[in-house]
Amino acid sequence: AVLRKASVSVERSLLLLCLILACALPLTLMDLRILGIKSPSVAVILPSVSVTIGILYMLLLAAAISEQCAQVPALINAMSFGEGTEASRQQTVEYVRNSAAGFYVL
């Protein structure tokens, strides 16, 4: 539930970073095509390439967190909490599953 609240609060930032990535990648490729692959032009393009790689890495980490959150109900369901706790464990699994924690961008 806490991760879902954090996901909602950073959703606009993730969307903005995706838009920056969608604009930076074609512009970088156009720069490479226009300037060619010469040593001075690579120094000009290097900042945009590093930003693009950083944004892609950040989105990859957000996807990995979402994937780990999807595995939490199975982990809870596999744990044993003693006799007579099956109903409360099932309620906890359903609560975690229904909370759908992770990073989602519309």
Side-chain angles (χ1 to χ4, degrees), residues 15-31:
L15 185 60
L16 182 64
L17 286 173
C18 287
L19 289 174
I20 289 171
L21 181 65
C23 293
L25 195 58
L27 291 174
T28 302
L29 292 175
M30 281 179 31
D31 281 343

Side-chain angles (χ1 to χ4, degrees), residues 40-61:
S41 65
V42 172
V44 172
I45 297 171
L46 191 60
S48 63
V49 170
S50 62
V51 167
T52 302
I53 291 171
I55 292 173
L56 284 173
Y57 183 70
M58 188 255 337
L59 292 174
L60 182 68
L61 289 178

Side-chain angles (χ1 to χ4, degrees), residues 3-26:
L3 189 57
R4 183 163 174 85
K5 287 182 182 182
S7 173
V8 169
S9 65
V10 297
E11 180 178 10
R12 288 188 180 145
S13 298
L14 284 174
L15 185 60
L16 182 64
L17 286 173
C18 287
L19 289 174
I20 289 171
L21 181 65
C23 293
L25 195 58

